[in-house]
């Protein structure tokens, strides 16, 4: 049939594993984080054993001829003919178990995938201590496919141990060898792959993936690029993953580390920063073509072009993973008032703010103080308005277009400041933001911007002499959070008034930050009961100041609930604006 973008190819499991070993199939290094849990691996082998299908694989012809230079080593490697588009987790599970090699799990811990098999019950389980002591189980089936394995000796010794422990009847003596032989023969289990032509575009491959995937998942372009990195620059991919692993755990040897209390990125997130810095692109689909060495005009592949592009990516990644750059950027988040990770509602805002920070530093030579304040304002604006929460790549492409014509540091600063002003207009502060605060969403960006503003303004906690900034300090650890969100009009009080809908009770404007022990003591008491009692702790001038910071109208606890919500939303918007304006940039460029 003419016009087909794919061909169907039949494999055996053993044949697939041989092709992975030989480099014909470019399955990323077994050290890539493996996201399946072990029960899914168990179920995979159970399905194969029972003769059930386990899905079609999707490969893509690479289109790159011959050998390639491995970046950082100067050595040559064979280029895989096929890249894995769909089926990577299945192939990794099969490879890890049948080859008996370690994988790296999603927490970056090294471990073996140990699957057990009971020949009498023909049942699979994840290996545990009880199974290891039970002679009816083969505690680790990996042994069945190891080089030098002697099947008949294994069956004889297995049955001998079992006979000594519990005895065997004739039917069991026949069933055990048959079950073990059937398990060993899974190396011949048939699998089907669809091999997409190298002439197919990235968009076509993505569309094919979506159409054949029963769960309707979309294809992650970052996975495409990480796969390419595994083939052409494996060292760079490992650097990304090791950096991300180290952000999660404090160093034990006092050596410099990317660990921090704000952001624990995934490799694909930092890859986006690489790509922006190297190619000024946010759409990864274009970058995949570039890194394959494909000429976007002619469609032809060039190994020289591919190596040049990977060199650019390598230079960019050195800046992205530079520890001084990383920690200098994290000061931007703290400067913006988002001093606790719980306040951050958009990790994409972090990713793209870091990208712009690096461009400001590398391309325009902005000094640290100017750059920090500018990027703090940008991050605050981006978080508050959910700038990168939907169609993030499109939005960032537009932002990159904004700065493409900048030729000086002054232009860079002015361009970003003009965009901030175009977004945060008077109408936004006075109309849009109060309306956006009329929600019960648990992760409302406006609410967390309000808390960030309280940090910026050095505000006290409601009914406390402690500062919000001090009690949100991420370095302090305790069983309970030092600060808790408190219903100003408690739930049971509102229910007695006939207000029972969660959307009405959990309005953003009905929450304030209080110390946890005050929250416990207040409980469900009416505000007209607890508020005057707490207010007697403070002189009138301090109380007035506290009311202003926490956007509370005078005598709020006597107000009609709906009137209170409307008035407090307006005041919260004013405080958010004041907090943002405290970041006002002082030009030093």
């Amino acid at each position: 049939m003419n016009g087909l973008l794919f061909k169907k190819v039949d494999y055996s499991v053993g044949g697939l594993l041989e092709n992975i070993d030989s480099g014909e199939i470019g399955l990323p290094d077994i050290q890539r984080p493996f996201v399946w849990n072990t029960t899914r691996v168990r179920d995979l082998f159970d399905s194969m054993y029972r003769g059930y299908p386990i899905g079609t694989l999707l490969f893509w012809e690479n289109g790159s001829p011959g050998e390639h230079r491995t970046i950082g080593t100067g050595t040559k490697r064979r280029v895989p003919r096929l890249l894995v588009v769909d089926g990577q987790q299945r192939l990794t599970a099969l490879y890890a178990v049948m080859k008996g090699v370690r994988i790296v799990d999603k927490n970056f811990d090294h471990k073996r995938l140990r699957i057990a098999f009971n020949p009498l019950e023909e049942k699979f389980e994840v290996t545990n201590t009880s199974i290891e002591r039970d002679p009816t189980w083969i505690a680790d089936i990996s042994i069945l496919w190891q080089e030098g394995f002697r099947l008949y000796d294994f069956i004889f010794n297995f049955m001998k141990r079992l006979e000594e422990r519990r005895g065997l009847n004739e039917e069991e003596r026949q069933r055990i060898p048959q079950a073990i032989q059937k398990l060993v023969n899974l190396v011949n289990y048939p699998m089907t792959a669809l091999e997409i032509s190298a002439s197919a575009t990235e968009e076509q491959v993505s569309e094919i993936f979506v159409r054949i995937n029963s769960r309707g998942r979309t294809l992650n372009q970052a996975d495409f690029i990480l796969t390419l990195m595994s083939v052409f620059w494996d060292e760079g991919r490992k650097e990304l993953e090791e950096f991300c692993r180290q952000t999660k755990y404090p160093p034990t040897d006092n050596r410099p580390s990317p660990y921090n209390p704000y952001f624990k990125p995934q490799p694909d997130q930092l890859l986006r920063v690489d790509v922006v810095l190297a190619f000024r692109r946010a759409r990864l689909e274009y970058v995949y073509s570039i890194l394959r060495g494909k000429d976007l005009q002619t469609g032809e592949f060039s190994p020289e072009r591919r190596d040049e592009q990977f060199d650019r990516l390598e230079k960019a990644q050195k800046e992205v993973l530079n520890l001084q750059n990383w920690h200098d950027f994290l000061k931007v988040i703290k400067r913006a008032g988002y001093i606790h990770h719980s306040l951050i509602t958009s990790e994409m805002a972090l990713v793209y703010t870091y990208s712009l920070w690096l461009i400001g530093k590398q391309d325009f030579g902005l000094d640290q103080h100017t750059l920090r304040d500018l990027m703090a304002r940008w991050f605050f604006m981006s978080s508050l308005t959910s700038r990168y929460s939907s169609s993030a790549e499109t939005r960032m492409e537009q932002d990159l277009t904004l700065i493409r014509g900048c030729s000086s540091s002054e232009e860079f600063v002015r361009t970003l400041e003009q965009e901030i002003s175009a977004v945060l207009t008077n109408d936004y502060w006075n109309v849009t933001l109060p309306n956006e605060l009329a929600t019960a969403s648990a992760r409302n960006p406006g609410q967390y911007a309000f808390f960030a503003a309280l940090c910026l303004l050095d505000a006290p906690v409601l009914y406390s002499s402690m500062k919000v900034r001090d009690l949100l300090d991420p370095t302090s650890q305790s069983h309970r959070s030092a600060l808790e969100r408190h219903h100003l009009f408690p739930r049971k009080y509102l229910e007695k008034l006939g207000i029972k809908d969660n959307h009405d009770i959990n309005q953003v404007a009905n929450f304030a930050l209080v110390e946890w022990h005050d929250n416990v003591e207040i409980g469900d008491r009416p505000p007209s009961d607890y508020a005057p009692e707490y207010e007697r702790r403070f002189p009138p001038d301090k109380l007035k100041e506290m009311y202003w910071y926490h956007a509370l109208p005078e005598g709020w606890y006597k107000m009609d609930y709906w009137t209170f919500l409307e008035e407090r939303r307006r005041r919260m918007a004013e405080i958010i604006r004041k907090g943002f304006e405290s970041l006002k940039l002082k030009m030093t460029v």
Side-chain angles (χ1 to χ4, degrees):
M1 184 183 295
N2 293 330
L4 285 179
L5 288 174
F6 72 95
K7 62 182 178 182
K8 182 177 77 71
V9 180
D10 293 323
Y11 290 94
S12 67
V13 166
L16 282 169
L17 301 187
E18 287 178 10
N19 282 329
I20 292 169
D21 274 337
S22 70
E24 171 78 0
I25 295 174
L27 181 68
D29 187 313
I30 205 71
Q31 299 304 309
R32 285 286 306 277
F34 181 70
V35 297
W36 272 14
N37 59 43
T38 46
T39 57
R40 290 191 68 179
V41 180
R42 174 202 65 193
D43 294 344
L44 178 72
F45 277 87
D46 184 70
S47 294
M48 293 166 62
Y49 183 85
R50 299 186 187 288
Y52 300 158
I54 61 171
T56 301
L57 303 170
L58 191 62
F59 298 153
W60 188 8
E61 289 182 343
N62 183 34
S64 295
E67 296 180 327
H68 70 88
R69 178 173 60 85
T70 303
I71 293 178
T73 67
T75 61
K76 296 270 189 174
R77 281 180 51 186
R78 176 181 177 183
V79 176
R81 185 179 67 85
L82 299 170
L83 301 177
V84 180
V85 176
D86 191 21
Q88 181 176 310
Q89 296 295 302
R90 277 170 287 166
L91 288 175
T92 301
L94 291 171
Y95 192 91
V97 172
M98 290 184 153
K99 296 288 185 177
V101 298
R102 290 176 176 269
I103 54 93
V104 175
D105 66 16
K106 58 187 176 183
N107 296 318
F108 298 93
D109 293 327
H110 290 74
K111 70 176 186 179
R112 281 277 314 283
L113 295 176
R114 301 182 70 230
I115 304 299
F117 177 68
N118 187 316
L120 288 170
E121 299 179 9
E122 297 185 87
K123 178 181 178 182
F124 292 87
E125 274 300 344
V126 177
T127 304
N128 56 40
T129 304
S130 176
I131 283 174
E132 288 177 331
R133 292 196 296 261
D134 189 337
T136 63
W137 287 87
I138 300 172
D140 186 355
I141 62 175
S142 295
I143 192 175
L144 303 178
W145 299 287
Q146 299 309 300
E147 187 174 351
F149 174 72
R150 298 165 65 102
L151 175 61
Y152 295 109
D153 288 349
F154 179 84
I155 293 173
F156 175 81
N157 291 328
F158 180 85
M159 293 178 66
K160 181 180 179 182
R161 288 193 303 271
L162 200 52
E163 185 85 61
E164 291 171 352
R165 179 69 67 90
R166 60 182 287 280
L168 293 170
N169 59 40
E170 190 58 34
E171 190 270 336
E172 290 173 336
R173 290 190 184 92
Q174 294 182 18
R175 188 192 316 163
I176 290 173
Q178 291 172 355
I180 295 175
Q181 179 72 66
K182 183 178 177 181
L183 177 56
V184 170
N185 286 343
L186 289 186
V187 74
N188 300 315
Y189 178 90
M191 294 191 72
T192 298
L194 302 181
E195 295 184 4
I196 303 173
S197 168
S199 65
T201 66
E202 288 73 28
E203 294 86 349
Q204 288 172 323
V205 174
S206 296
E207 183 66 16
I208 292 169
F209 177 91
V210 171
R211 290 185 181 223
I212 70 172
N213 196 296
S214 61
R215 285 172 288 182
R217 292 185 293 122
T218 56
L219 188 59
N220 188 336
Q221 293 287 347
D223 283 344
F224 270 0
I225 297 176
L226 287 169
T227 297
L228 275 183
M229 290 178 74
S230 297
V231 174
F232 298 108
W233 185 31
D234 195 45
E235 178 186 340
R237 177 190 56 73
K238 289 179 178 177
E239 286 175 356
L240 274 180
E241 288 165 353
E242 178 60 18
F243 187 93
C244 291
R245 186 193 69 80
Q246 289 183 21
T247 65
K248 301 177 188 299
Y249 307 105
T252 56
D253 55 6
N254 293 320
R255 297 179 66 183
S257 160
Y259 174 76
N260 70 93
Y262 307 107
F263 187 27
K264 318 292 185 186
Q266 294 299 315
D268 64 291
Q269 292 175 313
L270 291 185
L271 174 65
R272 289 183 179 275
V273 185
D274 285 357
V275 162
V276 171
L277 193 59
F279 306 111
R280 298 298 188 269
R281 294 278 192 173
R283 291 190 185 280
L284 296 186
E285 59 185 292
Y286 299 138
V287 178
Y288 189 80
S289 292
I290 291 169
L291 291 179
R292 290 174 74 204
K294 182 179 179 181
D295 187 305
L296 297 182
Q297 301 300 319
T298 67
E300 294 180 354
F301 294 93
S302 164
E304 293 77 19
R305 185 184 301 112
R306 179 191 61 219
D307 290 344
E308 289 171 6
Q309 302 294 18
F310 266 103
D311 282 340
R312 288 177 64 180
L313 189 68
E314 180 184 16
K315 290 182 176 67
Q317 184 160 298
K318 284 181 180 178
E319 297 301 323
V320 173
L321 303 189
N322 178 285
L323 287 179
Q324 190 63 56
N325 286 342
W326 176 249
H327 287 291
D328 283 345
F329 164 70
L330 292 173
K331 293 174 185 174
V332 168
I333 311 307
K334 191 172 182 179
R335 176 72 181 97
Y338 288 76
I339 67 170
H340 195 276
H341 67 86
S342 64
L343 304 183
I344 297 171
T345 56
S346 171
E347 290 192 343
M348 289 305 289
L350 286 170
V351 167
Y352 286 136
T353 301
Y354 187 29
S355 303
L356 291 172
W357 185 92
L358 284 165
I359 291 172
K361 178 178 183 289
Q362 293 299 115
D363 286 14
F364 297 100
L366 281 166
D367 71 90
Q368 284 293 331
H369 298 288
T370 301
L371 184 59
R372 183 186 303 153
D373 283 356
L374 174 64
M375 289 295 103
R377 285 167 64 78
W378 186 267
F379 178 73
F380 194 109
M381 178 273 291
S382 300
S383 297
L384 174 60
T385 62
S386 301
R387 187 176 185 86
Y388 301 114
S389 294
S390 63
S391 303
E393 287 186 344
T394 300
R395 179 73 264 180
M396 187 57 184
E397 284 283 346
Q398 294 167 352
D399 292 340
L400 290 171
T401 300
L402 285 175
I403 63 173
R404 197 155 283 144
C406 295
S407 58
S408 67
S409 56
E410 290 86 355
E411 282 189 76
F412 179 77
V413 172
R414 186 164 53 250
T415 298
L416 293 188
E417 280 293 319
Q418 287 173 347
E419 180 64 13
I420 291 170
S421 297
V423 174
L424 302 181
T425 62
N426 283 330
D427 280 348
Y428 176 82
W429 293 118
N430 297 329
V431 180
T432 304
L433 181 54
N435 288 338
E436 289 178 347
L437 290 169
T439 178
S441 170
R443 298 288 293 169
N444 179 263
Q447 181 175 60
Y448 290 106
F450 177 67
F451 296 157
L454 293 179
C455 293
L456 288 169
L457 298 171
D458 203 28
V461 177
L462 183 60
Y463 300 139
S464 171
S465 59
M466 296 293 292
K467 301 288 188 180
V468 172
R469 173 178 288 276
D470 293 334
L471 292 187
L472 277 177
D473 183 351
T475 61
S476 60
Q477 301 283 333
S478 64
H479 180 65
R480 292 188 65 144
S481 173
L483 281 178
E484 293 186 348
R485 290 196 319 161
H486 160 66
H487 285 92
L488 291 165
F489 285 73
R491 172 182 294 277
K492 289 190 177 179
Y493 170 73
L494 290 175
E495 289 175 346
K496 289 179 182 177
L497 297 180
I499 301 171
K500 299 182 179 180
D501 192 303
N502 281 335
H503 180 271
D504 297 330
I505 294 171
N506 293 330
Q507 281 286 302
V508 163
N510 192 30
F511 283 108
L513 289 176
V514 299
E515 293 193 57
W516 73 265
H517 50 77
D518 286 336
N519 196 22
V520 171
E521 290 176 6
I522 290 170
D524 295 314
R525 294 161 64 189
S528 58
D529 179 7
Y530 75 78
E533 174 187 325
Y534 279 76
E535 290 179 3
R536 285 194 286 271
R537 297 175 177 175
F538 306 95
D541 59 330
K542 288 291 185 184
L543 190 59
K544 183 178 180 180
E545 180 185 67
M546 190 176 292
Y547 264 43
W548 182 81
Y549 281 126
H550 290 275
L552 295 171
E554 186 175 354
W556 65 271
Y557 47 84
K558 299 176 183 177
M559 294 175 68
D560 167 73
Y561 182 59
W562 306 110
T563 304
F564 162 76
L565 291 179
E566 184 174 357
E567 178 62 18
R568 188 163 190 249
R569 284 193 287 264
R570 183 185 66 79
R571 290 169 178 256
M572 288 175 70
E574 289 179 2
I575 294 300
I576 295 170
R577 185 175 190 172
K578 290 292 185 185
F580 174 74
E581 289 175 348
S582 74
L583 296 170
K584 191 65 178 177
L585 187 65
K586 295 179 181 179
M587 292 286 287
T588 58
V589 296

